[in-house]
Amino acid sequence: MYAFRLLPVLALIVACTPQDMPPPSRSAQFETYPKRLFETFETDCNGPAERFEKTGNRVFECSELLPPNATAFLILTYDGYPQDLPESVMRLTSTKTRSGYRVDAELFFNVPQRSGPAIRVPVESKTLDKALSALYRDMGGSPT
C-alpha cells in the first residue's frame, strides 16, 4: 500500500490540520485481529532499501534507509556511526484488549552509535498522525 511508503516522508513535512477534524492518533482499536493491516504493512515494506521484521504475532517493523541529506544530518546531529547508517523505523504493535485489539504505531529514526546502543529519535508530525488515522479507518479500526 502506497500510504506506508509515504509515512517517513510525511514525518518530515509540517502541515496545518483543519480545526473541525477529529484529533489524529497513532493508536486504534479494532474489533477483531487486524490481519489485513499487518499483511498490507508487510507487503508494502518491500523496496530495495527496506527491511521487514516480525516479532511473533504482536510486533511488526519496517526499516528504511534514508536519503543522503537526511542520513548526513542525523549522523552529524546525533554523533552517529557512519559505517552503520541511520534508518527510519515504523513499528506497529498489537495488544489484545477486552474489546478486541489495540494497534499502536511508533515512528523513529534509529541512529547507530560507535559504542553503546543506538539513539532513537522520535518523529512527531501531525501530518503523519492524520495519515495513520485515515489508514486505521480504511482498515476497519477506530482511532483512539
Side-chain angles (χ1 to χ4, degrees):
M1 175 176 260
Y2 186 70
F4 284 121
R5 284 190 186 235
L6 288 178
L7 292 176
V9 174
L10 290 173
L12 300 174
I13 298 171
V14 177
C16 295
T17 53
Q19 297 299 321
D20 61 340
M21 295 291 293
S25 176
R26 290 194 180 182
S27 300
Q29 185 67 37
F30 292 82
E31 289 181 11
T32 60
Y33 183 75
K35 182 178 178 184
R36 192 177 107 199
L37 173 69
F38 297 127
E39 287 174 347
T40 301
F41 185 60
E42 179 178 3
T43 300
D44 194 57
C45 185
N46 65 357
E50 295 175 321
R51 183 183 78 250
F52 178 80
E53 187 175 340
K54 180 179 175 183
T55 306
N57 62 353
R58 192 174 162 266
V59 180
F60 303 81
E61 191 172 278
C62 184
S63 302
E64 179 178 12
L65 291 174
L66 299 163
N69 287 346
T71 298
F73 174 79
L74 289 168
I75 289 171
L76 293 172
T77 303
Y78 295 98
D79 197 28
Y81 185 55
Q83 280 67 31
D84 195 1
L85 299 176
E87 295 178 312
S88 168
V89 179
M90 176 151 208
R91 179 179 295 147
L92 296 179
T93 304
S94 68
T95 306
K96 178 79 171 121
T97 64
R98 282 188 272 155
S99 56
Y101 289 86
R102 177 185 170 104
V103 174
D104 297 294
E106 181 182 5
L107 183 65
F108 57 92
F109 297 117
N110 191 53
V111 185
Q113 303 293 289
R114 184 177 303 273
S115 61
I119 293 175
R120 286 188 180 175
V121 181
V123 175
E124 298 297 327
S125 168
K126 289 183 181 185
T127 302
L128 170 66
D129 294 346
K130 185 178 174 183
L132 279 169
S133 290
L135 177 65
Y136 288 148
R137 281 191 291 279
D138 289 347
M139 293 290 174
S142 300
T144 57

